[in-house]
Amino acid sequence: MTNTDFSTVLVANRGEIARRVFATARRRGLSTVAVYSDADSGEPFVREADSAVRLPGNAPSETYLDIAAVLDAAERTGADAVHPGYGFLSENSTFARAVIDAGLTWIGPSPEAIDAMGSKTEAKKLMEAAGVPVLTNLQTPEITEEMLPVLVKASAGGGGRGMRVVRTLDELESGTTAAVREAESAFGDGTVFIERYIESGRHIEVQLMADNHGGVWAVGERECSIQRRHQKVIEEAPSPLVERVDGMRDRLFEAARAAARAISYSGAGTVEFLANDKGEFFFLEVNTRLQVEHPVTEATTGLDLVGLQFDVAAGRMLPAATPPGIDGWAVEARVYAEDPRHDYRPMSGEVLRFDFDDVVSSFSGPVVPGIRLDAGPEAAPGRPAVVGVNYDAMLAKVISWAPTRAEAVGRLSGALRRARIHGLGTNRDQLVRVLDDADFRAGDIDTAFLESTHTEVSTAPLADDDAVAVSAFAAAVVAEADTASRRPDPHVATGFRLFGDARTTHRYFRGQGTDHEVEVTVVRSSRSTGAVATTLAGHDVRLVETTPPQGAARGSGDAATVTVEVDGIRRTLTVHRYPGGGVGVDSALGPVTLTERPRYDDPSAVVAEGALVAPMPGTVTSVLVAIGDTVTTGQKLMTIEAMKMEHTISATSDGTVTELAAGTGDHIETGTLLAVIDSPDNDE
């Protein structure tokens, strides 16, 4: 194959992966082209591209999945190469052929290789013939109670979509139907297959890089066992299991290279395996694209995998017969806009601030121990990032690299704990809980980690109720100081009376929790220093010092610091107040995001008893009950698709369905009335 150098790369994707590919392109002196939907018009990846072409609309089907529109953008901008990123069209052989037929360089494996791995059922047959260990497919009629649990899995696509674990024979039909429906929605192909489900398996994958001259690299392995809803959350390289089991790495690499050669693979790809603690492993799939978690391999090998993709696509050979060795340890955490305490409910809205300490690189490396931050959106005071419902809920990947696993895990935990993430709720607290868990630190993990004994621990917020109360107190102190600073006499407090101390009350709401009411007492004898005193949650909490933001407008999001004594122990908290009542409080007690409540409740905001409202925006995909049906607590009523995942709405009490306000296909917003259940316990 002759070299086919290119000069302008169009990235047929969005967000973080588009920014990642652009970063390598800039280092190579290549021009870049972005395509973007209406919802993404203000995103950083659009600004960072040399040229950007609008794809009218918001839905993936009318934007990023529209092959004709993407190729038209390439033609209009003079792009001579296309990188698909991951997701969307990255594993679509029709798109790959269309790019090649248009005379452009396709930065990915051949369409034939994509086809060979596009069907997981056919892929397993090919791998079995190549000597790669596989799990046998099961047919529904032959499944018995002894074979349970089983996994129903989409033949096309990945990312946990179109997958259901079935634990009883009664659930087999409904689980299969749900998997088919989700697969059709996500991939346009509802084909599924069933295989044995290994309850305590470990997800191990091998990074491939192959050229068109017969060179095949197995570029280290990764462990991706920490998952929720079959989607990876924390990944690391190398794997603690592979490190522990003698000879396992050699067998993994041999199987991965055999898989690549069986389909004449070229470019970057990943062979995924399900393993047990004995070191046995079974083929899952080949991802014919770059993986989300590729930075941990880059950190431990010093390679630029996107740069190698460029080289292979241009017809060059891999630079050596064997890849570089492993140096140190890297761990990646995916920060999602979601609520782990409520079945990973996706969140939409504004991210007001997204800052991390110890960041030494973004979209490359790192070349020194520290934190790499690969983020899609950017948020700063006065310029919040908006997270919608059309695309994946991942905000960023936070990667740590250090000489040892213990240091890499500790560094990542500390960076996440100290990060200033304000506004929209995220899974940050869960990530820290997992990284600090004794079993995780020992490398004793599996794919059921978040669904077993660690569920309660991993979903508990970092800040307990006392910490929230102290944080609310700090927020109230800053609010009082801000109010005082805008009066003619700043020493006269709100609610000031001629005799006695002045008192004002502040109410704060924390996510799905409860209101925290804080009474701030301004002590007149100490008013020259602004001192206040109060007691919260049974603890003595006293203000020591307040430092307001310098020169900031009210609610600008700039930091104020509040030093308090809690039962004689001094603590310093940083408070950011934002327009609209949002407050972010950060301290060693744990990060707390609050919303300042109005003094009086709005009667129109009260939800009638028995009413079920939408917890997120999305589309109703099925309604499972009818008006007049008798339901029990926990019974499934309807399903909603949001951010490419299906979510269940269940009855919160026993009773009768008296109203259905949403039907299949309806687009809904957060707070939309869905149904009303009349329960004998409901008051008139």
Side-chain angles (χ1 to χ4, degrees):
M1 180 176 178
T2 59
N3 285 5
T4 55
D5 284 324
F6 41 86
S7 61
T8 303
V9 179
L10 181 147
V11 178
N13 218 294
R14 63 178 298 277
E16 165 266 329
I17 184 55
R19 301 184 74 189
R20 167 69 190 91
V21 177
F22 290 161
T24 288
R26 284 193 297 270
R27 290 192 291 270
R28 295 289 185 99
L30 302 174
S31 296
T32 56
V33 178
V35 290
Y36 65 94
S37 68
D38 291 337
D40 282 340
S41 61
E43 290 298 301
F45 80 94
V46 180
R47 299 192 300 270
E48 291 172 356
D50 295 319
S51 304
V53 178
R54 172 179 174 245
L55 304 178
N58 290 318
S61 60
E62 60 187 6
T63 54
Y64 299 106
L65 293 175
D66 188 332
I67 294 175
V70 172
L71 291 180
D72 177 66
E75 181 180 7
R76 291 165 58 192
T77 57
D80 51 1
V82 174
H83 192 299
Y86 41 69
F88 293 129
L89 295 169
S90 63
E91 294 179 282
N92 186 310
S93 62
T94 300
F95 180 51
R97 287 190 178 91
V99 170
I100 295 168
D101 290 345
L104 310 177
T105 298
W106 167 249
I107 304 175
S110 69
E112 292 74 22
I114 296 174
D115 278 335
M117 294 296 101
S119 166
K120 291 183 175 63
T121 52
E122 295 303 312
K124 287 173 71 172
K125 294 176 183 177
L126 277 172
M127 293 301 105
E128 189 172 17
V132 180
V134 301
L135 287 169
T136 304
N137 285 355
L138 303 173
Q139 301 302 315
T140 302
E142 68 185 26
I143 297 175
T144 64
E145 200 77 44
E146 292 73 27
M147 295 179 181
L148 299 173
V150 296
L151 180 66
V152 184
K153 191 173 184 180
S155 182
R161 299 172 185 90
M163 293 178 64
R164 290 293 187 278
V165 176
V166 175
R167 300 186 182 280
T168 68
L169 292 178
D170 291 341
E171 297 173 345
L172 187 56
E173 182 178 354
S174 61
T176 302
T177 300
V180 168
R181 182 170 58 240
E182 195 169 86
E184 286 177 338
S185 174
F187 316 119
D189 182 350
T191 305
V192 299
F193 63 94
I194 305 173
E195 65 185 15
R196 169 186 159 207
Y197 181 61
I198 299 180
E199 195 81 50
S200 58
R202 298 177 70 134
H203 189 116
I204 312 294
E205 60 189 34
V206 178
Q207 175 68 57
L208 287 174
M209 184 60 69
D211 60 28
N212 292 286
H213 305 275
V216 179
W217 280 358
V219 194
E221 85 283 345
R222 299 184 285 256
E223 177 142 0
C224 312
S225 296
I226 303 298
Q227 305 179 3
R228 91 286 189 268
R229 303 186 70 168
H230 308 294
Q231 286 189 306
K232 303 163 189 174
V233 180
I234 296 175
E235 305 100 345
E236 57 184 306
S239 158
L241 173 64
V242 176
E243 282 280 289
R244 189 166 67 236
V245 178
D246 289 341
M248 185 177 178
R249 179 169 290 122
D250 290 340
R251 290 185 288 113
L252 273 171
F253 287 6
E254 182 180 351
R257 286 190 292 262
R261 292 190 174 107
I263 56 175
S264 300
Y265 197 82
S266 65
T270 301
V271 188
E272 300 195 345
F273 299 96
L274 188 63
N276 59 29
D277 284 336
K278 298 176 183 178
E280 298 174 313
F281 55 86
F282 305 94
F283 172 81
L284 286 175
E285 61 183 324
V286 174
N287 291 124
T288 54
R289 54 172 169 79
L290 196 66
Q291 291 278 85
V292 177
E293 58 272 20
H294 76 273
V296 295
T297 298
E298 293 186 325
T300 52
T301 61
L303 295 171
D304 180 343
L305 294 178
V306 174
L308 287 172
Q309 285 186 295
F310 287 177
D311 290 339
V312 169
R316 298 185 180 90
M317 298 177 63
L318 293 174
T322 57
I326 303 300
D327 179 19
W329 213 289
V331 188
E332 172 181 296
R334 304 187 190 186
V335 180
Y336 285 97
E338 65 184 17
D339 184 357
R341 289 178 294 168
H342 294 81
D343 195 29
Y344 300 98
R345 178 185 301 163
M347 311 289 283
S348 61
E350 290 187 340
V351 180
L352 302 174
R353 185 181 293 267
F354 198 80
D355 293 338
F356 283 78
D357 296 329
D358 197 25
V359 174
V360 297
S361 68
S362 293
F363 306 111
S364 68
V367 296
V368 296
I371 295 296
R372 167 177 168 175
L373 180 64
D374 287 12
E378 292 179 341
R383 189 164 52 87
V386 178
V387 177
V389 299
N390 296 294
Y391 314 115
D392 188 85
M394 189 176 77
L395 300 176
K397 303 179 309 195
V398 188
I399 305 100
S400 66
W401 177 51
T404 66
R405 184 177 189 267
E407 187 177 345
V409 171
R411 188 185 293 271
L412 182 57
S413 170
L416 287 164
R417 185 184 291 273
R418 294 189 302 272
R420 292 161 295 283
I421 305 175
H422 300 158
L424 198 60
T426 72
N427 65 331
R428 181 258 300 271
D429 287 14
Q430 181 183 61
L431 295 172
V432 175
R433 290 284 189 190
V434 172
L435 291 167
D436 290 349
D437 184 87
D439 288 337
F440 181 87
R441 293 279 177 131
D444 185 12
I445 56 179
D446 58 43
T447 56
F449 189 92
L450 296 181
E451 299 172 359
S452 56
T453 56
H454 301 84
T455 301
E456 185 174 348
V457 172
S458 69
T459 55
L462 293 174
D464 60 18
D465 287 345
D466 286 347
V468 174
V470 174
S471 297
F473 170 62
V477 167
V478 174
E480 282 296 303
D482 178 73
T483 300
S485 70
R486 291 180 287 109
R487 296 194 198 96
D489 181 359
H491 298 309
V492 179
T494 300
F496 177 81
R497 295 174 300 178
L498 183 61
F499 302 103
D501 297 332
R503 290 178 170 83
T504 55
T505 298
H506 294 261
R507 294 169 59 209
Y508 294 95
F509 182 71
R510 186 197 187 198
Q512 300 295 326
T514 57
D515 277 3
H516 292 267
E517 191 168 287
V518 181
E519 182 178 90
V520 178
T521 304
V522 181
V523 183
R524 293 180 62 215
S525 60
S526 305
R527 67 186 182 184
S528 61
T529 62
V532 300
T534 189
T535 300
L536 292 175
H539 302 283
D540 183 46
V541 182
R542 296 182 179 276
L543 177 69
V544 176
E545 182 182 29
T546 304
T547 304
Q550 299 298 314
R554 179 178 183 270
S556 67
D558 287 334
T561 59
V562 177
T563 301
V564 300
E565 280 188 3
V566 182
D567 296 333
I569 300 174
R570 188 163 293 193
R571 306 277 190 181
T572 298
L573 302 92
T574 303
V575 179
H576 297 79
R577 300 178 70 224
Y578 299 94
V583 183
V585 184
D586 299 292
S587 74
L589 295 171
V592 175
T593 296
L594 301 167
T595 300
E596 189 164 7
R597 302 290 252 177
R599 181 164 297 187
Y600 302 104
D601 290 327
D602 180 359
S604 67
V606 178
V607 177
E609 196 165 8
L612 295 174
V613 297
M616 70 200 81
T619 301
V620 177
T621 54
S622 67
V623 177
L624 308 175
V625 293
I627 293 176
D629 284 358
T630 300
V631 297
T632 58
T633 302
Q635 182 176 335
K636 296 179 181 179
L637 306 180
M638 61 180 65
T639 57
I640 295 174
E641 183 185 283
M643 295 183 182
K644 300 191 287 185
M645 295 292 287
E646 194 170 81
H647 306 269
T648 300
I649 303 299
S650 301
T652 55
S653 64
D654 296 349
T656 302
V657 178
T658 59
E659 184 177 351
L660 285 173
T664 302
D666 287 354
H667 296 281
I668 56 174
E669 298 296 329
T670 301
T672 299
L673 179 67
L674 300 177
V676 176
I677 298 175
D678 182 24
S679 170
D681 297 330
N682 289 351
D683 295 329
E684 288 296 321

